[in-house]
Amino acid sequence: MTRGSLPRRIGTSLTVMAMDAETDRLIGVATRMFAELGYDWTSMRLIADAAGVDVERLTETVGDKPELYRQVIVRAHEAERDAMQAVRDSARADVDRALDLADAYLDFYVAHPDYLALWLQRWTGDAADTPDLQDLY
Protein backbone atom coordinates (compact mmCIF):
# COMPACT_ATOMS: atom_id res chain seq x y z
CA MET A 1 0.00 0.00 0.00
CA THR A 2 1.34 3.45 -0.91
CA ARG A 3 0.84 6.53 1.18
CA GLY A 4 -2.46 8.18 0.36
CA SER A 5 -3.91 4.87 -0.84
CA LEU A 6 -6.44 3.11 1.26
CA PRO A 7 -6.18 -0.20 3.04
CA ARG A 8 -9.03 -2.29 1.63
CA ARG A 9 -9.33 -4.44 4.74
CA ILE A 10 -11.11 -1.66 6.62
CA GLY A 11 -14.48 -2.79 7.90
CA THR A 12 -16.95 -0.41 6.30
CA SER A 13 -17.16 1.57 3.11
CA LEU A 14 -18.01 4.64 5.22
CA THR A 15 -14.56 4.47 6.80
CA VAL A 16 -12.95 4.16 3.37
CA MET A 17 -15.02 7.09 2.07
CA ALA A 18 -14.03 9.18 5.10
CA MET A 19 -10.35 8.39 4.47
CA ASP A 20 -10.72 9.30 0.79
CA ALA A 21 -12.39 12.57 1.78
CA GLU A 22 -9.64 13.31 4.31
CA THR A 23 -6.91 12.60 1.77
CA ASP A 24 -8.65 14.83 -0.78
CA ARG A 25 -9.04 17.59 1.81
CA LEU A 26 -5.38 17.43 2.82
CA ILE A 27 -4.22 17.48 -0.80
CA GLY A 28 -6.53 20.46 -1.39
CA VAL A 29 -5.00 22.34 1.55
CA ALA A 30 -1.49 21.49 0.32
CA THR A 31 -2.42 22.67 -3.17
CA ARG A 32 -3.44 26.08 -1.84
CA MET A 33 -0.32 26.36 0.32
CA PHE A 34 2.08 25.32 -2.46
CA ALA A 35 0.30 27.65 -4.89
CA GLU A 36 0.48 30.65 -2.55
CA LEU A 37 3.94 30.15 -1.02
CA GLY A 38 5.70 27.72 -3.32
CA TYR A 39 7.14 24.35 -2.45
CA ASP A 40 10.36 25.72 -0.99
CA TRP A 41 8.60 28.03 1.49
CA THR A 42 5.84 25.62 2.52
CA SER A 43 6.60 23.28 5.39
CA MET A 44 4.66 20.20 6.39
CA ARG A 45 3.95 21.93 9.72
CA LEU A 46 2.41 24.87 7.85
CA ILE A 47 0.20 22.53 5.80
CA ALA A 48 -0.77 20.54 8.89
CA ASP A 49 -1.65 23.73 10.81
CA ALA A 50 -3.74 25.03 7.89
CA ALA A 51 -5.53 21.67 7.71
CA GLY A 52 -6.08 21.45 11.46
CA VAL A 53 -4.15 18.19 11.90
CA ASP A 54 -0.80 17.33 13.37
CA VAL A 55 2.22 16.68 11.16
CA GLU A 56 2.21 12.98 11.98
CA ARG A 57 -1.38 12.61 10.79
CA LEU A 58 -0.60 14.57 7.62
CA THR A 59 2.44 12.42 6.85
CA GLU A 60 0.59 9.22 7.68
CA THR A 61 -2.24 10.15 5.32
CA VAL A 62 -0.44 11.70 2.34
CA GLY A 63 3.27 10.95 2.73
CA ASP A 64 6.28 13.19 3.14
CA LYS A 65 6.61 16.62 1.50
CA PRO A 66 8.00 15.47 -1.89
CA GLU A 67 5.37 12.73 -2.12
CA LEU A 68 2.58 15.15 -1.20
CA TYR A 69 3.85 17.64 -3.77
CA ARG A 70 3.83 14.92 -6.43
CA GLN A 71 0.20 14.14 -5.53
CA VAL A 72 -0.67 17.83 -5.85
CA ILE A 73 1.03 18.10 -9.26
CA VAL A 74 -0.59 14.87 -10.49
CA ARG A 75 -4.00 16.15 -9.42
CA ALA A 76 -3.43 19.47 -11.20
CA HIS A 77 -2.22 17.72 -14.36
CA GLU A 78 -5.13 15.27 -14.41
CA ALA A 79 -7.69 18.02 -13.85
CA GLU A 80 -6.27 20.03 -16.74
CA ARG A 81 -6.07 16.96 -18.98
CA ASP A 82 -9.67 16.00 -18.20
CA ALA A 83 -10.92 19.53 -18.81
CA MET A 84 -9.26 19.61 -22.23
CA GLN A 85 -10.24 16.08 -23.29
CA ALA A 86 -13.69 16.90 -24.66
CA VAL A 87 -12.24 19.64 -26.85
CA ARG A 88 -9.41 17.42 -28.08
CA ASP A 89 -11.93 14.74 -29.00
CA SER A 90 -14.11 17.22 -30.86
CA ALA A 91 -14.86 16.61 -34.52
CA ARG A 92 -14.80 20.33 -35.26
CA ALA A 93 -12.49 21.78 -37.89
CA ASP A 94 -8.90 22.42 -36.86
CA VAL A 95 -9.17 26.20 -36.46
CA ASP A 96 -12.43 25.97 -34.51
CA ARG A 97 -11.00 23.22 -32.33
CA ALA A 98 -7.91 25.33 -31.62
CA LEU A 99 -10.12 28.25 -30.57
CA ASP A 100 -12.24 25.92 -28.43
CA LEU A 101 -9.09 24.55 -26.81
CA ALA A 102 -7.81 28.05 -26.03
CA ASP A 103 -11.21 28.94 -24.52
CA ALA A 104 -11.32 25.75 -22.46
CA TYR A 105 -7.74 26.33 -21.27
CA LEU A 106 -8.47 29.88 -20.15
CA ASP A 107 -11.78 28.87 -18.56
CA PHE A 108 -10.02 26.07 -16.67
CA TYR A 109 -7.39 28.35 -15.17
CA VAL A 110 -9.92 31.04 -14.30
CA ALA A 111 -11.85 28.37 -12.40
CA HIS A 112 -8.66 26.87 -10.86
CA PRO A 113 -6.22 29.70 -10.10
CA ASP A 114 -4.31 27.52 -7.61
CA TYR A 115 -3.29 25.16 -10.40
CA LEU A 116 -2.01 28.06 -12.49
CA ALA A 117 -0.06 29.34 -9.49
CA LEU A 118 1.51 25.88 -9.02
CA TRP A 119 2.83 25.88 -12.58
CA LEU A 120 4.03 29.47 -12.25
CA GLN A 121 5.91 28.53 -9.08
CA ARG A 122 7.59 25.63 -10.91
CA TRP A 123 8.53 27.80 -13.88
CA THR A 124 10.33 30.21 -11.54
CA GLY A 125 12.56 27.45 -10.19
CA ASP A 126 10.52 26.40 -7.15
CA ALA A 127 10.83 22.77 -6.00
CA ALA A 128 14.17 22.31 -7.73
CA ASP A 129 14.67 19.11 -5.72
CA THR A 130 11.81 17.46 -7.66
CA PRO A 131 13.17 17.75 -11.23
CA ASP A 132 11.53 14.51 -12.37
CA LEU A 133 8.13 16.22 -12.33
CA GLN A 134 9.20 18.61 -15.07
CA ASP A 135 9.64 15.72 -17.51
CA LEU A 136 6.47 13.91 -16.45
CA TYR A 137 4.07 16.85 -16.55
Side-chain angles (χ1 to χ4, degrees):
M1 176 178 77
T2 61
R3 293 201 186 275
S5 67
L6 300 173
R8 294 297 164 192
R9 56 178 142 38
I10 292 177
T12 69
S13 61
L14 290 177
T15 304
V16 171
M17 287 173 39
M19 289 179 69
D20 278 337
E22 179 69 357
T23 300
D24 286 344
R25 185 181 77 79
L26 293 173
I27 293 171
V29 170
T31 299
R32 287 188 297 282
M33 301 303 295
F34 288 139
E36 290 177 24
L37 303 173
Y39 175 87
D40 296 332
W41 293 99
T42 302
S43 68
M44 290 296 275
R45 171 143 323 275
L46 193 59
I47 295 168
D49 288 347
V53 299
D54 59 35
V55 174
E56 293 77 24
R57 172 68 185 238
L58 177 65
T59 303
E60 187 178 285
T61 306
V62 294
D64 62 7
K65 184 177 172 183
E67 190 172 340
L68 174 56
Y69 187 69
R70 281 181 179 81
Q71 291 180 59
V72 166
I73 294 297
V74 166
R75 178 182 280 191
H77 169 74
E78 289 176 350
E80 179 184 328
R81 182 198 62 211
D82 293 348
M84 302 301 122
Q85 190 63 46
V87 176
R88 285 193 303 265
D89 293 345
S90 169
R92 290 173 51 101
D94 287 342
V95 173
D96 290 334
R97 188 174 347 166
L99 292 173
D100 290 346
L101 187 58
D103 284 344
Y105 187 81
L106 292 172
D107 289 346
F108 175 79
Y109 282 111
V110 166
H112 301 92
D114 287 344
Y115 291 156
L116 179 59
L118 283 171
W119 298 125
L120 292 174
Q121 294 281 2
R122 285 208 54 85
W123 296 333
T124 61
D126 190 48
D129 59 340
T130 60
D132 59 312
L133 291 177
Q134 207 62 27
D135 294 333
L136 295 172
Y137 306 105

